[in-house]
PDB file of all heavy atoms in Angstrom:
ATOM      1  N   TRP A   1      -5.548  -7.713  -0.262  1.00  0.00           N
ATOM      2  CA  TRP A   1      -4.104  -7.577  -0.066  1.00  0.00           C
ATOM      3  C   TRP A   1      -3.272  -8.419  -1.119  1.00  0.00           C
ATOM      4  O   TRP A   1      -2.263  -8.001  -1.603  1.00  0.00           O
ATOM      5  CB  TRP A   1      -3.694  -8.005   1.334  1.00  0.00           C
ATOM      6  CG  TRP A   1      -3.834  -6.869   2.369  1.00  0.00           C
ATOM      7  CD1 TRP A   1      -4.841  -6.734   3.327  1.00  0.00           C
ATOM      8  CD2 TRP A   1      -3.203  -5.620   2.404  1.00  0.00           C
ATOM      9  NE1 TRP A   1      -4.773  -5.572   3.929  1.00  0.00           N
ATOM     10  CE2 TRP A   1      -3.726  -4.867   3.361  1.00  0.00           C
ATOM     11  CE3 TRP A   1      -2.168  -5.102   1.639  1.00  0.00           C
ATOM     12  CZ2 TRP A   1      -3.317  -3.578   3.753  1.00  0.00           C
ATOM     13  CZ3 TRP A   1      -1.631  -3.790   2.035  1.00  0.00           C
ATOM     14  CH2 TRP A   1      -2.261  -3.048   2.998  1.00  0.00           C
ATOM     15  N   ALA A   2      -3.870  -9.473  -1.508  1.00  0.00           N
ATOM     16  CA  ALA A   2      -3.305 -10.282  -2.618  1.00  0.00           C
ATOM     17  C   ALA A   2      -3.255  -9.555  -3.857  1.00  0.00           C
ATOM     18  O   ALA A   2      -2.233  -9.566  -4.673  1.00  0.00           O
ATOM     19  CB  ALA A   2      -3.976 -11.585  -2.772  1.00  0.00           C
ATOM     20  N   GLU A   3      -4.388  -8.797  -4.111  1.00  0.00           N
ATOM     21  CA  GLU A   3      -4.367  -7.996  -5.372  1.00  0.00           C
ATOM     22  C   GLU A   3      -3.353  -6.784  -5.254  1.00  0.00           C
ATOM     23  O   GLU A   3      -2.616  -6.593  -6.338  1.00  0.00           O
ATOM     24  CB  GLU A   3      -5.736  -7.364  -5.524  1.00  0.00           C
ATOM     25  CG  GLU A   3      -5.920  -6.519  -6.779  1.00  0.00           C
ATOM     26  CD  GLU A   3      -7.314  -6.037  -6.998  1.00  0.00           C
ATOM     27  OE1 GLU A   3      -8.281  -6.568  -6.435  1.00  0.00           O
ATOM     28  OE2 GLU A   3      -7.326  -5.031  -7.697  1.00  0.00           O
ATOM     29  N   ILE A   4      -3.245  -6.188  -4.087  1.00  0.00           N
ATOM     30  CA  ILE A   4      -2.314  -5.159  -3.989  1.00  0.00           C
ATOM     31  C   ILE A   4      -0.893  -5.674  -4.098  1.00  0.00           C
ATOM     32  O   ILE A   4      -0.053  -4.969  -4.704  1.00  0.00           O
ATOM     33  CB  ILE A   4      -2.508  -4.446  -2.550  1.00  0.00           C
ATOM     34  CG1 ILE A   4      -3.832  -3.731  -2.508  1.00  0.00           C
ATOM     35  CG2 ILE A   4      -1.350  -3.559  -2.207  1.00  0.00           C
ATOM     36  CD1 ILE A   4      -4.235  -3.217  -1.187  1.00  0.00           C
ATOM     37  N   ALA A   5      -0.585  -6.839  -3.707  1.00  0.00           N
ATOM     38  CA  ALA A   5       0.763  -7.456  -3.819  1.00  0.00           C
ATOM     39  C   ALA A   5       1.238  -7.553  -5.224  1.00  0.00           C
ATOM     40  O   ALA A   5       2.348  -7.466  -5.492  1.00  0.00           O
ATOM     41  CB  ALA A   5       0.815  -8.751  -3.045  1.00  0.00           C
ATOM     42  N   GLY A   6       0.277  -7.690  -6.161  1.00  0.00           N
ATOM     43  CA  GLY A   6       0.561  -7.688  -7.578  1.00  0.00           C
ATOM     44  C   GLY A   6       0.913  -6.451  -8.124  1.00  0.00           C
ATOM     45  O   GLY A   6       1.495  -6.335  -9.189  1.00  0.00           O
ATOM     46  N   TRP A   7       0.557  -5.337  -7.466  1.00  0.00           N
ATOM     47  CA  TRP A   7       0.842  -3.980  -7.912  1.00  0.00           C
ATOM     48  C   TRP A   7       2.294  -3.592  -7.742  1.00  0.00           C
ATOM     49  O   TRP A   7       2.764  -2.629  -8.541  1.00  0.00           O
ATOM     50  CB  TRP A   7      -0.098  -3.003  -7.294  1.00  0.00           C
ATOM     51  CG  TRP A   7      -1.516  -3.115  -7.485  1.00  0.00           C
ATOM     52  CD1 TRP A   7      -2.124  -3.854  -8.382  1.00  0.00           C
ATOM     53  CD2 TRP A   7      -2.452  -2.503  -6.756  1.00  0.00           C
ATOM     54  NE1 TRP A   7      -3.459  -3.858  -8.253  1.00  0.00           N
ATOM     55  CE2 TRP A   7      -3.803  -2.912  -7.331  1.00  0.00           C
ATOM     56  CE3 TRP A   7      -2.543  -1.568  -5.764  1.00  0.00           C
ATOM     57  CZ2 TRP A   7      -4.994  -2.492  -6.824  1.00  0.00           C
ATOM     58  CZ3 TRP A   7      -3.724  -1.028  -5.288  1.00  0.00           C
ATOM     59  CH2 TRP A   7      -4.918  -1.631  -5.734  1.00  0.00           C
ATOM     60  N   TYR A   8       2.965  -4.063  -6.688  1.00  0.00           N
ATOM     61  CA  TYR A   8       4.264  -3.470  -6.281  1.00  0.00           C
ATOM     62  C   TYR A   8       5.362  -4.576  -6.275  1.00  0.00           C
ATOM     63  O   TYR A   8       5.130  -5.739  -6.564  1.00  0.00           O
ATOM     64  CB  TYR A   8       4.149  -2.968  -4.852  1.00  0.00           C
ATOM     65  CG  TYR A   8       2.973  -2.008  -4.755  1.00  0.00           C
ATOM     66  CD1 TYR A   8       1.977  -2.151  -3.881  1.00  0.00           C
ATOM     67  CD2 TYR A   8       2.972  -0.753  -5.432  1.00  0.00           C
ATOM     68  CE1 TYR A   8       0.884  -1.205  -3.597  1.00  0.00           C
ATOM     69  CE2 TYR A   8       2.034   0.237  -5.267  1.00  0.00           C
ATOM     70  CZ  TYR A   8       0.971  -0.081  -4.360  1.00  0.00           C
ATOM     71  OH  TYR A   8      -0.071   0.753  -4.226  1.00  0.00           O
ATOM     72  N   ARG A   9       6.537  -4.041  -6.013  1.00  0.00           N
ATOM     73  CA  ARG A   9       7.722  -4.945  -5.924  1.00  0.00           C
ATOM     74  C   ARG A   9       7.396  -5.926  -4.718  1.00  0.00           C
ATOM     75  O   ARG A   9       6.645  -5.689  -3.804  1.00  0.00           O
ATOM     76  CB  ARG A   9       8.929  -4.205  -5.481  1.00  0.00           C
ATOM     77  CG  ARG A   9       9.327  -3.111  -6.558  1.00  0.00           C
ATOM     78  CD  ARG A   9      10.487  -2.273  -6.076  1.00  0.00           C
ATOM     79  NE  ARG A   9      10.461  -1.717  -4.707  1.00  0.00           N
ATOM     80  CZ  ARG A   9       9.859  -0.607  -4.438  1.00  0.00           C
ATOM     81  NH1 ARG A   9       9.271   0.150  -5.389  1.00  0.00           N
ATOM     82  NH2 ARG A   9      10.011  -0.186  -3.241  1.00  0.00           N
ATOM     83  N   PRO A  10       8.025  -7.068  -4.749  1.00  0.00           N
ATOM     84  CA  PRO A  10       7.770  -8.142  -3.782  1.00  0.00           C
ATOM     85  C   PRO A  10       7.917  -7.623  -2.372  1.00  0.00           C
ATOM     86  O   PRO A  10       8.858  -6.968  -1.993  1.00  0.00           O
ATOM     87  CB  PRO A  10       8.740  -9.186  -4.074  1.00  0.00           C
ATOM     88  CG  PRO A  10       9.118  -9.063  -5.448  1.00  0.00           C
ATOM     89  CD  PRO A  10       9.019  -7.691  -5.678  1.00  0.00           C
ATOM     90  N   GLY A  11       7.094  -8.040  -1.473  1.00  0.00           N
ATOM     91  CA  GLY A  11       7.058  -7.727  -0.073  1.00  0.00           C
ATOM     92  C   GLY A  11       6.458  -6.346   0.387  1.00  0.00           C
ATOM     93  O   GLY A  11       6.298  -6.128   1.594  1.00  0.00           O
ATOM     94  N   ILE A  12       6.177  -5.516  -0.594  1.00  0.00           N
ATOM     95  CA  ILE A  12       5.657  -4.192  -0.089  1.00  0.00           C
ATOM     96  C   ILE A  12       4.242  -4.296   0.513  1.00  0.00           C
ATOM     97  O   ILE A  12       3.971  -3.792   1.538  1.00  0.00           O
ATOM     98  CB  ILE A  12       5.797  -3.156  -1.389  1.00  0.00           C
ATOM     99  CG1 ILE A  12       7.095  -2.843  -1.614  1.00  0.00           C
ATOM    100  CG2 ILE A  12       4.822  -2.030  -0.984  1.00  0.00           C
ATOM    101  CD1 ILE A  12       7.251  -1.841  -2.877  1.00  0.00           C
ATOM    102  N   ALA A  13       3.355  -5.050  -0.135  1.00  0.00           N
ATOM    103  CA  ALA A  13       2.043  -5.335   0.408  1.00  0.00           C
ATOM    104  C   ALA A  13       2.111  -5.798   1.841  1.00  0.00           C
ATOM    105  O   ALA A  13       1.461  -5.410   2.776  1.00  0.00           O
ATOM    106  CB  ALA A  13       1.124  -6.060  -0.425  1.00  0.00           C
ATOM    107  N   ALA A  14       3.115  -6.794   2.050  1.00  0.00           N
ATOM    108  CA  ALA A  14       3.181  -7.353   3.425  1.00  0.00           C
ATOM    109  C   ALA A  14       3.802  -6.348   4.435  1.00  0.00           C
ATOM    110  O   ALA A  14       3.261  -6.356   5.465  1.00  0.00           O
ATOM    111  CB  ALA A  14       4.181  -8.515   3.310  1.00  0.00           C
ATOM    112  N   GLN A  15       4.672  -5.537   4.028  1.00  0.00           N
ATOM    113  CA  GLN A  15       5.165  -4.451   4.842  1.00  0.00           C
ATOM    114  C   GLN A  15       4.120  -3.422   5.272  1.00  0.00           C
ATOM    115  O   GLN A  15       3.949  -3.138   6.461  1.00  0.00           O
ATOM    116  CB  GLN A  15       6.275  -3.752   4.234  1.00  0.00           C
ATOM    117  CG  GLN A  15       7.652  -4.423   4.346  1.00  0.00           C
ATOM    118  CD  GLN A  15       8.718  -3.580   3.801  1.00  0.00           C
ATOM    119  OE1 GLN A  15       8.913  -3.529   2.562  1.00  0.00           O
ATOM    120  NE2 GLN A  15       9.357  -2.810   4.657  1.00  0.00           N
ATOM    121  N   LEU A  16       3.273  -3.086   4.305  1.00  0.00           N
ATOM    122  CA  LEU A  16       2.120  -2.154   4.568  1.00  0.00           C
ATOM    123  C   LEU A  16       1.200  -2.784   5.639  1.00  0.00           C
ATOM    124  O   LEU A  16       0.831  -2.151   6.619  1.00  0.00           O
ATOM    125  CB  LEU A  16       1.431  -1.843   3.369  1.00  0.00           C
ATOM    126  CG  LEU A  16       2.187  -0.960   2.243  1.00  0.00           C
ATOM    127  CD1 LEU A  16       1.515  -0.986   0.916  1.00  0.00           C
ATOM    128  CD2 LEU A  16       2.306   0.472   2.832  1.00  0.00           C
ATOM    129  N   ARG A  17       0.731  -4.029   5.209  1.00  0.00           N
ATOM    130  CA  ARG A  17      -0.139  -4.688   6.148  1.00  0.00           C
ATOM    131  C   ARG A  17       0.350  -4.962   7.561  1.00  0.00           C
ATOM    132  O   ARG A  17      -0.387  -4.635   8.467  1.00  0.00           O
ATOM    133  CB  ARG A  17      -0.569  -6.057   5.492  1.00  0.00           C
ATOM    134  CG  ARG A  17      -1.659  -6.758   6.086  1.00  0.00           C
ATOM    135  CD  ARG A  17      -2.048  -8.038   5.355  1.00  0.00           C
ATOM    136  NE  ARG A  17      -3.321  -8.647   5.719  1.00  0.00           N
ATOM    137  CZ  ARG A  17      -3.825  -9.715   5.250  1.00  0.00           C
ATOM    138  NH1 ARG A  17      -3.252 -10.298   4.269  1.00  0.00           N
ATOM    139  NH2 ARG A  17      -4.892 -10.166   5.755  1.00  0.00           N
ATOM    140  N   LEU A  18       1.640  -5.296   7.675  1.00  0.00           N
ATOM    141  CA  LEU A  18       2.179  -5.577   9.068  1.00  0.00           C
ATOM    142  C   LEU A  18       2.405  -4.290   9.736  1.00  0.00           C
ATOM    143  O   LEU A  18       2.391  -4.340  11.009  1.00  0.00           O
ATOM    144  CB  LEU A  18       3.511  -6.336   8.863  1.00  0.00           C
ATOM    145  CG  LEU A  18       3.454  -7.793   8.373  1.00  0.00           C
ATOM    146  CD1 LEU A  18       4.836  -8.306   8.064  1.00  0.00           C
ATOM    147  CD2 LEU A  18       2.726  -8.687   9.455  1.00  0.00           C
ATOM    148  N   ASN A  19       2.416  -3.193   9.106  1.00  0.00           N
ATOM    149  CA  ASN A  19       2.572  -1.896   9.796  1.00  0.00           C
ATOM    150  C   ASN A  19       1.344  -1.260   9.985  1.00  0.00           C
ATOM    151  O   ASN A  19       1.284  -0.031  10.391  1.00  0.00           O
ATOM    152  CB  ASN A  19       3.606  -1.051   9.026  1.00  0.00           C
ATOM    153  CG  ASN A  19       4.988  -1.437   9.289  1.00  0.00           C
ATOM    154  OD1 ASN A  19       5.565  -1.027  10.271  1.00  0.00           O
ATOM    155  ND2 ASN A  19       5.576  -2.177   8.400  1.00  0.00           N
ATOM    156  N   GLY A  20       0.197  -1.892   9.836  1.00  0.00           N
ATOM    157  CA  GLY A  20      -1.104  -1.435  10.199  1.00  0.00           C
ATOM    158  C   GLY A  20      -1.827  -0.478   9.186  1.00  0.00           C
ATOM    159  O   GLY A  20      -2.822   0.089   9.463  1.00  0.00           O
ATOM    160  N   CYS A  21      -1.259  -0.580   7.958  1.00  0.00           N
ATOM    161  CA  CYS A  21      -1.875   0.230   6.887  1.00  0.00           C
ATOM    162  C   CYS A  21      -2.996  -0.525   6.315  1.00  0.00           C
ATOM    163  O   CYS A  21      -3.116  -1.712   6.342  1.00  0.00           O
ATOM    164  CB  CYS A  21      -0.958   0.519   5.706  1.00  0.00           C
ATOM    165  SG  CYS A  21       0.523   1.423   6.290  1.00  0.00           S
ATOM    166  N   ALA A  22      -4.026   0.256   5.978  1.00  0.00           N
ATOM    167  CA  ALA A  22      -5.315  -0.252   5.347  1.00  0.00           C
ATOM    168  C   ALA A  22      -5.221  -0.048   3.797  1.00  0.00           C
ATOM    169  O   ALA A  22      -4.624   0.976   3.404  1.00  0.00           O
ATOM    170  CB  ALA A  22      -6.596   0.312   5.954  1.00  0.00           C
ATOM    171  N   PRO A  23      -5.865  -0.863   3.047  1.00  0.00           N
ATOM    172  CA  PRO A  23      -5.835  -0.643   1.530  1.00  0.00           C
ATOM    173  C   PRO A  23      -6.225   0.884   1.210  1.00  0.00           C
ATOM    174  O   PRO A  23      -5.687   1.460   0.235  1.00  0.00           O
ATOM    175  CB  PRO A  23      -6.790  -1.621   1.085  1.00  0.00           C
ATOM    176  CG  PRO A  23      -6.734  -2.838   2.058  1.00  0.00           C
ATOM    177  CD  PRO A  23      -6.567  -2.075   3.288  1.00  0.00           C
ATOM    178  N   ASP A  24      -7.253   1.332   1.885  1.00  0.00           N
ATOM    179  CA  ASP A  24      -7.728   2.660   1.452  1.00  0.00           C
ATOM    180  C   ASP A  24      -6.675   3.827   1.713  1.00  0.00           C
ATOM    181  O   ASP A  24      -6.736   4.912   1.162  1.00  0.00           O
ATOM    182  CB  ASP A  24      -9.030   3.059   2.169  1.00  0.00           C
ATOM    183  CG  ASP A  24      -8.996   3.194   3.702  1.00  0.00           C
ATOM    184  OD1 ASP A  24      -8.053   2.499   4.285  1.00  0.00           O
ATOM    185  OD2 ASP A  24      -9.652   3.998   4.216  1.00  0.00           O
ATOM    186  N   MET A  25      -5.702   3.545   2.573  1.00  0.00           N
ATOM    187  CA  MET A  25      -4.594   4.455   2.795  1.00  0.00           C
ATOM    188  C   MET A  25      -3.803   4.743   1.656  1.00  0.00           C
ATOM    189  O   MET A  25      -3.123   5.795   1.481  1.00  0.00           O
ATOM    190  CB  MET A  25      -3.660   3.996   3.969  1.00  0.00           C
ATOM    191  CG  MET A  25      -4.323   4.111   5.270  1.00  0.00           C
ATOM    192  SD  MET A  25      -3.096   3.457   6.500  1.00  0.00           S
ATOM    193  CE  MET A  25      -3.848   3.930   8.097  1.00  0.00           C
ATOM    194  N   LEU A  26      -3.833   3.773   0.535  1.00  0.00           N
ATOM    195  CA  LEU A  26      -3.077   4.060  -0.587  1.00  0.00           C
ATOM    196  C   LEU A  26      -3.562   5.146  -1.454  1.00  0.00           C
ATOM    197  O   LEU A  26      -2.905   5.729  -2.273  1.00  0.00           O
ATOM    198  CB  LEU A  26      -3.057   2.748  -1.527  1.00  0.00           C
ATOM    199  CG  LEU A  26      -2.358   1.519  -0.799  1.00  0.00           C
ATOM    200  CD1 LEU A  26      -2.571   0.277  -1.581  1.00  0.00           C
ATOM    201  CD2 LEU A  26      -0.883   1.757  -0.622  1.00  0.00           C
ATOM    202  N   ASN A  27      -4.764   5.695  -1.231  1.00  0.00           N
ATOM    203  CA  ASN A  27      -5.393   6.791  -1.915  1.00  0.00           C
ATOM    204  C   ASN A  27      -4.925   8.139  -1.196  1.00  0.00           C
ATOM    205  O   ASN A  27      -5.346   9.194  -1.688  1.00  0.00           O
ATOM    206  CB  ASN A  27      -6.840   6.637  -1.932  1.00  0.00           C
ATOM    207  CG  ASN A  27      -7.221   5.419  -2.764  1.00  0.00           C
ATOM    208  OD1 ASN A  27      -6.596   5.158  -3.745  1.00  0.00           O
ATOM    209  ND2 ASN A  27      -8.286   4.828  -2.338  1.00  0.00           N
ATOM    210  N   HIS A  28      -4.341   8.102  -0.001  1.00  0.00           N
ATOM    211  CA  HIS A  28      -4.120   9.335   0.713  1.00  0.00           C
ATOM    212  C   HIS A  28      -2.941  10.063   0.040  1.00  0.00           C
ATOM    213  O   HIS A  28      -1.916   9.536  -0.330  1.00  0.00           O
ATOM    214  CB  HIS A  28      -3.730   9.054   2.128  1.00  0.00           C
ATOM    215  CG  HIS A  28      -4.944   8.623   2.941  1.00  0.00           C
ATOM    216  ND1 HIS A  28      -5.699   9.520   3.788  1.00  0.00           N
ATOM    217  CD2 HIS A  28      -5.616   7.408   2.994  1.00  0.00           C
ATOM    218  CE1 HIS A  28      -6.804   8.799   4.372  1.00  0.00           C
ATOM    219  NE2 HIS A  28      -6.698   7.621   3.814  1.00  0.00           N
ATOM    220  N   VAL A  29      -3.108  11.393   0.073  1.00  0.00           N
ATOM    221  CA  VAL A  29      -2.112  12.220  -0.671  1.00  0.00           C
ATOM    222  C   VAL A  29      -0.996  12.642   0.447  1.00  0.00           C
ATOM    223  O   VAL A  29      -1.238  12.943   1.528  1.00  0.00           O
ATOM    224  CB  VAL A  29      -2.754  13.492  -1.225  1.00  0.00           C
ATOM    225  CG1 VAL A  29      -1.788  14.424  -1.786  1.00  0.00           C
ATOM    226  CG2 VAL A  29      -3.825  13.055  -2.244  1.00  0.00           C
ATOM    227  N   ILE A  30       0.255  12.508  -0.117  1.00  0.00           N
ATOM    228  CA  ILE A  30       1.390  12.907   0.644  1.00  0.00           C
ATOM    229  C   ILE A  30       2.260  13.691  -0.247  1.00  0.00           C
ATOM    230  O   ILE A  30       2.688  13.292  -1.260  1.00  0.00           O
ATOM    231  CB  ILE A  30       2.207  11.599   0.979  1.00  0.00           C
ATOM    232  CG1 ILE A  30       1.369  10.621   1.869  1.00  0.00           C
ATOM    233  CG2 ILE A  30       3.450  11.973   1.842  1.00  0.00           C
ATOM    234  CD1 ILE A  30       1.988   9.118   1.922  1.00  0.00           C
ATOM    235  N   ASN A  31       2.432  15.018   0.072  1.00  0.00           N
ATOM    236  CA  ASN A  31       3.231  15.947  -0.697  1.00  0.00           C
ATOM    237  C   ASN A  31       2.766  15.912  -2.147  1.00  0.00           C
ATOM    238  O   ASN A  31       3.513  15.998  -3.028  1.00  0.00           O
ATOM    239  CB  ASN A  31       4.668  15.671  -0.539  1.00  0.00           C
ATOM    240  CG  ASN A  31       5.171  15.819   0.868  1.00  0.00           C
ATOM    241  OD1 ASN A  31       4.739  16.713   1.493  1.00  0.00           O
ATOM    242  ND2 ASN A  31       6.125  15.034   1.212  1.00  0.00           N
ATOM    243  N   GLY A  32       1.413  15.859  -2.389  1.00  0.00           N
ATOM    244  CA  GLY A  32       0.887  16.126  -3.799  1.00  0.00           C
ATOM    245  C   GLY A  32       0.763  14.822  -4.606  1.00  0.00           C
ATOM    246  O   GLY A  32       0.277  14.879  -5.670  1.00  0.00           O
ATOM    247  N   LYS A  33       1.147  13.707  -3.929  1.00  0.00           N
ATOM    248  CA  LYS A  33       1.041  12.485  -4.692  1.00  0.00           C
ATOM    249  C   LYS A  33       0.417  11.474  -3.676  1.00  0.00           C
ATOM    250  O   LYS A  33       0.520  11.558  -2.558  1.00  0.00           O
ATOM    251  CB  LYS A  33       2.400  11.831  -5.188  1.00  0.00           C
ATOM    252  CG  LYS A  33       2.947  12.687  -6.229  1.00  0.00           C
ATOM    253  CD  LYS A  33       4.257  12.014  -6.788  1.00  0.00           C
ATOM    254  CE  LYS A  33       4.822  12.881  -7.850  1.00  0.00           C
ATOM    255  NZ  LYS A  33       5.987  12.191  -8.424  1.00  0.00           N
ATOM    256  N   THR A  34      -0.286  10.473  -4.316  1.00  0.00           N
ATOM    257  CA  THR A  34      -0.852   9.464  -3.483  1.00  0.00           C
ATOM    258  C   THR A  34       0.139   8.520  -2.927  1.00  0.00           C
ATOM    259  O   THR A  34       1.272   8.394  -3.616  1.00  0.00           O
ATOM    260  CB  THR A  34      -1.977   8.648  -4.151  1.00  0.00           C
ATOM    261  OG1 THR A  34      -1.432   7.931  -5.229  1.00  0.00           O
ATOM    262  CG2 THR A  34      -3.139   9.526  -4.633  1.00  0.00           C
TER     263      THR A  34
END
């Protein structure tokens, strides 16, 4: 999660984590994009 936090704007990784998202979910396709 610390590595993921470096990829995005501040707070995004924390929001993902607090909302029950797992790191592997970032690879899931939504409307043609991950």
Side-chain angles (χ1 to χ4, degrees):
W1 280 110
E3 182 178 338
I4 291 170
W7 298 347
Y8 306 118
R9 299 177 313 275
I12 289 179
Q15 280 186 274
L16 291 168
R17 191 175 188 180
L18 290 172
N19 280 279
C21 296
D24 66 328
M25 289 180 166
L26 297 172
N27 296 322
H28 288 261
V29 177
I30 303 165
N31 295 326
K33 294 187 178 183
T34 65

